[in-house]
Amino acid sequence: MTDSIRELTILQPDDWHMHLRDDKALATTVPHAAESFNRVICMPNLVPPVKNVEDARAYRARIMQHLEASNVSAERKAAFDPRMTLYLTDHTTAQDIELAAQSGIVQAVKLYPAGATTNSADGVTDINACVDVFEALEKYNLPLLLHGEVTHDHVDIFDREKRFLDEVMVQIIAKFPTMKIVMEHITTSDAADFVLSQGNQIAATITPQHLMFNRNHLLLGGIKPHFYCLPILKRESHQKVLLDVATSGNPKFFLGTDSAPHATDKKEAACGCAGCYSAATALPLYATAFDSVGKIDRLEGFTSRFGAQFYGLPVNESTITIINTPMQIPASYPYFDGSSLTPLMAGETLPWSIKKSL
């Protein structure tokens, strides 16, 4: 632990991978996101997905409507900037990419292999059919965000990220060497090593759960549904490597919570949903992870600088202060239609908290 640092003021962070969902869910998720983050890259796997600029504008308008109706402070409302992504399908065109690049609101394009995760049925079935789209992404310098797993039934779920690197990533980079790519929510030492071995056009986001937990936390003593996410938690050895690279000060790794809300009854079910909800407590979670290896002083780069630099955006000027004072994570949050939302580490106490403004 870093005993000398009891309070730390950092530049306001951005979340480069978050699920806000849609419609009534936004009343909960948008205020939670806006309290801590300025820019948030909003995932497009809605029902129906965000497939073009028109969809993106409409989704952003719905987000902003819920922000205005919330109890978030005027200062945070003014700072919050949801950045849109397009859902890459087999029918996405180069013109869709051109319009996205010109829109001013679309920050990236997201590739889900079909069937890889929640609401990914419309995802890409053949990477080789995306040549025109990838050429357009290169041309307009629009990053490709990858859910990096193969989805073949015969591939073990714990090996899917490694197989994606070997079978898909290598091909994409060889054919499109200048395309900016973010390997989303990496979970293995293989992915960390791969990102380190590539040029500056390849980066990665890392979630709080993959820094703090491994598959023992998910499975020992009974299945813990609120630790279940995709890509799934891996061995402790992989967790340690992720923590090493996240706290290393290397700008190729930055914050992406992959915060993914599911109503509690949908998580605690016979066929539970994949996703961990961390939007409201993400910064104390990351602070706890960094402090566990004595690297709390490296937090600002990971949370507030490196992502903005990768995307070619200015770093934020506002600040937020975390303090080495314990906080208890709520057992649940009210969600829509009378349901509840259970956060990651519900009911547990973290050593770090966000200092409230007087």
Side-chain angles (χ1 to χ4, degrees), residues 1-75:
M1 299 286 284
T2 311
D3 293 330
S4 58
I5 297 178
R6 310 295 297 178
E7 185 173 307
L8 184 67
T9 297
I10 63 174
L11 294 173
Q12 201 82 34
D14 302 303
D15 190 339
W16 302 103
H17 184 125
M18 181 180 278
H19 297 268
L20 295 175
R21 305 299 187 216
D22 204 358
D23 300 325
K24 293 179 182 179
L26 297 174
T28 300
T29 61
V30 171
H32 284 173
E35 287 288 2
S36 294
F37 300 107
N38 278 8
R39 289 167 293 219
V40 171
I41 285 197
C42 305
M43 291 296 106
N45 57 332
L46 310 181
V47 181
V50 178
K51 295 183 180 180
N52 54 48
V53 171
E54 184 178 342
D55 294 341
R57 288 192 193 283
Y59 183 34
R60 191 175 193 277
R62 296 193 295 275
I63 292 169
M64 298 308 286
Q65 286 171 0
H66 280 274
L67 179 68
E68 289 306 313
S70 74
N71 293 323
V72 174
S73 70
E75 179 185 8

Side-chain angles (χ1 to χ4, degrees), residues 21 118 209 225-226 228-230 258 260 262 267 273-277:
R21 305 299 187 216
T118 303
Q209 63 264 25
H226 298 288
Y228 174 52
C229 58
L230 290 173
D258 194 20
H262 294 282
K267 287 287 288 178
C273 301
C276 300
Y277 187 69

Side-chain angles (χ1 to χ4, degrees), residues 254-298:
F254 43 84
L255 184 155
T257 62
D258 194 20
S259 179
H262 294 282
T264 300
D265 65 332
K266 298 293 192 296
K267 287 287 288 178
E268 299 173 1
C271 186
C273 301
C276 300
Y277 187 69
S278 60
T281 53
L283 199 53
L285 287 167
Y286 281 115
T288 299
F290 273 60
D291 201 22
S292 72
V293 291
K295 297 287 183 64
I296 192 76
D297 57 312
R298 299 277 178 86

Side-chain angles (χ1 to χ4, degrees), residues 142-194:
L142 204 61
L144 178 67
L145 313 184
L146 286 175
H147 181 112
E149 291 187 291
V150 299
T151 55
H152 315 304
D153 289 343
H154 65 276
V155 178
D156 189 290
I157 192 169
F158 291 102
D159 297 332
R160 290 183 170 190
E161 186 171 89
K162 174 67 164 63
R163 290 285 291 271
F164 186 90
L165 296 169
D166 295 341
E167 298 173 11
V168 182
M169 274 299 290
V170 171
Q171 287 187 50
I172 293 175
I173 292 172
K175 293 176 182 175
F176 305 96
T178 64
M179 181 167 60
K180 278 190 166 184
I181 297 175
V182 180
M183 292 291 297
E184 300 276 32
H185 44 53
I186 61 169
T187 66
T188 60
S189 59
D190 308 283
D193 291 343
F194 184 90

Side-chain angles (χ1 to χ4, degrees), residues 209-231:
Q209 63 264 25
H210 289 105
L211 292 179
M212 298 181 74
F213 306 111
N214 56 66
R215 64 191 191 184
N216 279 353
H217 297 95
L218 171 67
L219 298 171
L220 282 184
I223 296 172
K224 316 297 193 306
H226 298 288
F227 285 129
Y228 174 52
C229 58
L230 290 173

